[in-house]
Amino acid sequence: MSACATQALPSALYLGEFVGELNEGASFLERLSAEEQRAVRRLGRIVRFARGETVFLQGQPHEGIFLIEAGVVRSYYTGPSGREITLAYWTPGHFVGGPEIFRSSLHIWSGIAAEDCSLLHLSGANIRRLVASVPEFALCLLEGLVAKSKCYSALVQMLGTRSAAERLVQLLIILSNTCARRDAGRLVIERKITHNELATIIGATRQWVTTTLDRFQRQGILSVGRQAIVVERPDLLAKLAA
């Protein structure tokens, strides 16, 4: 899934109640001085992943966290049946690889490069060194972890309290607000996303998503092309959400 072309800093994407909270935790190191940021970079190492490569894998030992400098990382959980649910798409400024940051416990979900990525890897040992030597870094890390916990709490709440149709509508509203351009009263969602990707975010099947989008098209709410989803009637989409 490509990042939004209309934003200098593309928003993270996950299923949540409030659009304004999606990018909390982005650029969480901004509070550091230039010298402190250089200290972080000296203890990290740049790693690169091509689109489709695994960044970390569920069940494998933790080796630290990854700060996204370029590209998009999808975090996802795989159930015993092999079915996947997407937790989030993380964009530059965010970090991935938690929630463990120090010990060598096992990853409880996976991360994969959704597009070519450049990441700054910080090992658990070096994170400990930074926490001890740069107090502001510890505060940054806490704020980043708080943002992550709010993200995953929002996902659980949406999955537990909303129907699949309501979750799909909410996701379309999120995409409309974070990555769409206006065109004569319509909203053209410029973040390319497949039916299967929509399905793994909302916890449904691809076939169900396709059927529901077809129904929304017949109702005149949106149109689905090969290049983009277009919300023809944002007012009707908002009514569905209400």
Side-chain angles (χ1 to χ4, degrees), residues 152-180:
Y152 297 128
S153 294
L155 173 61
V156 170
Q157 290 164 359
M158 291 291 292
L159 291 173
T161 63
R162 303 288 187 93
S163 68
E166 290 171 325
R167 297 195 298 269
L168 178 58
V169 168
Q170 178 65 8
L171 181 55
L172 291 170
I173 288 174
I174 288 171
L175 289 167
S176 298
N177 277 271
T178 61
C179 202

Side-chain angles (χ1 to χ4, degrees), residues 129-201:
R129 292 188 182 95
L130 286 167
V131 167
S133 62
V134 184
E136 283 295 311
F137 177 79
L139 291 175
C140 291
L141 201 57
L142 283 173
E143 290 178 352
L145 289 170
V146 167
K148 288 289 190 294
S149 68
K150 290 174 70 174
C151 155
Y152 297 128
S153 294
L155 173 61
V156 170
Q157 290 164 359
M158 291 291 292
L159 291 173
T161 63
R162 303 288 187 93
S163 68
E166 290 171 325
R167 297 195 298 269
L168 178 58
V169 168
Q170 178 65 8
L171 181 55
L172 291 170
I173 288 174
I174 288 171
L175 289 167
S176 298
N177 277 271
T178 61
C179 202
R181 60 178 172 83
R182 289 198 170 273
D183 179 18
R186 307 183 308 161
L187 292 171
V188 181
I189 297 172
E190 296 188 319
R191 192 169 195 158
K192 294 181 180 179
I193 185 167
T194 67
H195 291 192
N196 188 63
E197 288 171 334
L198 291 170
T200 61
I201 295 173

Side-chain angles (χ1 to χ4, degrees), residues 72-76 84-90 110-114 200:
V72 178
V73 175
R74 178 174 77 100
S75 59
Y76 66 95
E84 292 181 5
I85 184 166
T86 293
L87 304 176
Y89 285 90
W90 298 112
S110 301
I112 189 171
T200 61

Side-chain angles (χ1 to χ4, degrees), residues 25-227:
S27 303
F28 71 106
L29 295 181
E30 281 186 348
R31 67 161 59 234
L32 298 182
S33 67
E35 178 55 38
E36 289 169 334
Q37 291 191 33
R38 285 193 289 270
V40 172
R41 293 193 66 83
R42 282 196 297 270
L43 287 176
R45 63 183 179 91
I46 295 294
V47 291
R48 293 181 172 83
F49 295 89
R51 179 178 179 179
E53 286 189 323
T54 296
V55 179
F56 54 93
L57 191 63
Q58 181 177 329
Q60 290 188 347
H62 273 272
E63 295 181 350
I65 62 174
F66 300 85
L67 281 60
I68 303 175
E69 299 200 332
V72 178
V73 175
R74 178 174 77 100
S75 59
Y76 66 95
Y77 173 78
T78 306
S81 67
R83 183 173 176 180
E84 292 181 5
I85 184 166
T86 293
L87 304 176
Y89 285 90
W90 298 112
T91 48
H94 292 277
F95 73 87
V96 294
E100 179 60 72
I101 56 175
F102 293 129
R103 298 191 307 273
S104 297
S105 61
L106 302 181
H107 283 287
I108 57 177
W109 51 69
S110 301
I112 189 171
E115 57 184 57
D116 293 349
C117 291
S118 177
L119 314 175
L120 180 69
H121 179 253
L122 288 170
S123 69
N126 283 334
I127 292 172
R128 284 186 180 277
R129 292 188 182 95
L130 286 167
V131 167
S133 62
V134 184
E136 283 295 311
F137 177 79
L139 291 175
C140 291
L141 201 57
L142 283 173
E143 290 178 352
L145 289 170
V146 167
K148 288 289 190 294
S149 68
K150 290 174 70 174
C151 155
Y152 297 128
S153 294
L155 173 61
V156 170
Q157 290 164 359
M158 291 291 292
L159 291 173
T161 63
R162 303 288 187 93
S163 68
E166 290 171 325
R167 297 195 298 269
L168 178 58
V169 168
Q170 178 65 8
L171 181 55
L172 291 170
I173 288 174
I174 288 171
L175 289 167
S176 298
N177 277 271
T178 61
C179 202
R181 60 178 172 83
R182 289 198 170 273
D183 179 18
R186 307 183 308 161
L187 292 171
V188 181
I189 297 172
E190 296 188 319
R191 192 169 195 158
K192 294 181 180 179
I193 185 167
T194 67
H195 291 192
N196 188 63
E197 288 171 334
L198 291 170
T200 61
I201 295 173
I202 67 171
T205 65
R206 181 190 60 77
Q207 294 86 348
W208 182 89
V209 166
T210 299
T211 299
T212 305
L213 289 177
D214 287 344
R215 174 162 57 85
F216 289 168
Q217 287 194 93
R218 292 194 301 271
Q219 294 171 341
I221 298 171
L222 51 80
S223 58
V224 180
R226 298 186 66 179
Q227 299 299 319

